[in-house]
Amino acid sequence: MPIRFAAALGAGWLAAACLAGPAPAHEGHDHAAAPPLPATVAPRGEAVSEAFELVAVAHGGALILHLDRFSTNAPVLDARIEIETPEGSRWAAPAGEGTYRLPAPWLDRPGRHDILATVSAGETVDVLSLGVTVPSAAPALSGARPSAPDGVAGRLAGRDPALVATASGAFVLGMLAMLALRARRAGPALALLALGLTLAFVTRAQAQDGRADAPDRGAALLDAAPPPADSARRLPDGSLFVPKPTQRLLVLRTVLTAPATVRRRLELPGRIIPDPNASGVVQSSVGGRLSPPASGAFPHLGARVRRGEVLATVTPPIQAVDVSDMRQRQGELDQQIAIVERRVERYGRLAVTGAVARTQLDDAEAELAGLRDRRGALDRIRREPEALVAPVDGVIAQAAAVAGQMAVPGTLVFQIVDPDRLFVEALSFDAPGPAEEASARLPDGRSLDLAYRGAGLADRNQAVPVQFAILGGAGGLRLGQFVTVQAAAEGTRRGLALPRASVVRGAGGDVVYEHVGPERFVARAVRVEPLDAGRVLVSGGIGPGRRIVTEGAELLDQVR
């Protein structure tokens, strides 16, 4: 009987031990509702009109005002802002690029503060009303747990399912131990009783560990909370919150979209070529050894030269056979010159007496002059090199001159180009007619105005070459540089014209950012077509009257 009583007492104690104390959480985590996130944005208010948008931020006992143009998002630098405060009318002082500051001790009181601002900028005067809500101080967090209700229901409320299952198992083991003792089987009864005690103590230790770790983990979460500060971020709905100071740093600018009807455009690949009427090449006609000009140095790349200027000299090579022939020819000419000189001398004496006609003397003198010229030409061939002169005014674009180098006839030695007169040659598969409007876009984003000059009648790689003249100067361009030509074609298109910098290419297609609020931006998927070198035509995705970011869209796309 005492053994049965001990077994029953052990089973009851097991159940009580398992159900006593608070329920542990999994690995020390608390399943209670998470506290709200701390505010990371200073109290602010905003107002928008047809001319301005105004953002007021309460910070450090002052009211910071950010004033921008509504259509362009450009800061208003020369404005005067009068604020109606509980202390009367006050003027905000300029504090930077489109920023104004007003001491506002009344903002220390929590609650909503209505503000009336009168803005004067040039000839524009506007009245804007907004409200700034200052939150009250957050209540102190308490680490105490709410007490559970009395009774069995209260003891079981909030228990972990695994703990309840363990307690039930221990109770069942205790009952089995009692049955084993009743059947006079002490060995199995004691084994079941030991297993139940082990489960009870392990469960109790886990509960104590969970309660000990909970306060430390909560303190760590509170310490990790970020301090209140304004920062750009992507909101849960996908829009972007970008404070005005960040917009100033990113230089965000917008434009109001308006529908337009434009001509259809062709996008053609092209490259920079020289104007054939303002460029030239310098080549050797006979071949020979290159030498610097009389100045002592070849012109370098980029040097400006004048038409007729000597750029290099070429000394023709003379073979041994040619030297022998020249010497033989020189000997013959010297002999003939000596004979003719004696004849001229004799005719001169006889012409005085009238024995020889004057005409014979003149013929002899003419023959002597011709022989001397031929003899001098042979000497010059051996001594005088060929001069390579500049055919046009311009700049040395290519140079292949080295002292002592052998120049082959027809080899390019210099190329001269006028940098202010360049062409663009494009390849078109549609054979366009004379384009009234054309432009080219460089890889670095620059654009060039073009004028149509003509198209070829012979195909080149199944395409028609079309040439355009670059207007308005071509500084910084290089021959052979690739460009993209936008040429007008037949037909019209209707849509919204936007700068190319407005469109951001992403994984899902082309996107533009709409300025939906003073400090909010939303990405809009759009369908675009090429318009010219600096603009695109938006044919779908947004409508007219939207404020679209035109500068800084790439930076805005990086906000996370």
Side-chain angles (χ1 to χ4, degrees), residues 273-335:
I273 63 172
D275 184 348
N277 296 319
S279 61
V281 295
V282 178
Q283 298 176 329
S284 174
S285 60
V286 297
R289 194 174 301 278
L290 286 174
S291 300
S295 61
F298 295 111
H300 56 81
L301 289 174
R304 184 169 291 276
V305 297
R306 306 290 299 176
R307 180 176 183 179
E309 181 180 346
V310 178
L311 307 180
T313 58
V314 178
T315 303
I318 301 177
Q319 304 296 329
V321 177
D322 296 335
V323 173
S324 177
D325 293 341
M326 290 178 64
R327 288 178 178 176
Q328 182 179 358
R329 186 59 178 164
Q330 286 176 349
E332 292 176 357
L333 290 175
D334 290 341
Q335 184 179 3

Side-chain angles (χ1 to χ4, degrees), residues 94-245:
E97 184 181 7
T99 303
Y100 303 83
R101 187 178 187 276
L102 176 69
W106 40 272
L107 285 176
D108 295 338
R109 298 189 300 270
R112 177 180 175 83
H113 301 272
D114 294 325
I115 299 172
L116 185 65
T118 303
V119 180
S120 302
E123 299 181 355
T124 305
V125 179
D126 208 340
V127 178
L128 303 174
S129 61
L130 62 156
V132 177
T133 300
V134 179
S136 58
L141 296 178
S142 175
R145 289 179 173 269
S147 58
D150 295 334
V152 176
R155 301 294 293 171
L156 293 176
R159 296 291 185 250
D160 186 273
L163 180 60
V164 175
T166 304
S168 303
F171 180 77
V172 172
L173 290 176
M175 296 302 296
L176 291 176
M178 291 178 62
L179 294 176
L181 289 175
R182 179 175 295 181
R184 292 185 175 84
R185 296 179 181 179
L190 293 177
L192 293 173
L193 185 60
L195 180 60
L197 289 173
T198 302
L199 291 176
F201 283 121
V202 170
T203 306
R204 184 70 177 183
Q206 290 180 349
Q208 294 296 334
D209 291 342
R211 290 197 304 273
D213 292 342
D216 295 340
R217 294 173 183 267
L221 290 175
L222 291 178
D223 293 340
D230 291 352
S231 61
R233 75 200 70 180
R234 191 175 294 272
L235 301 179
D237 60 355
S239 63
L240 302 180
F241 170 76
V242 184
K244 279 300 180 180

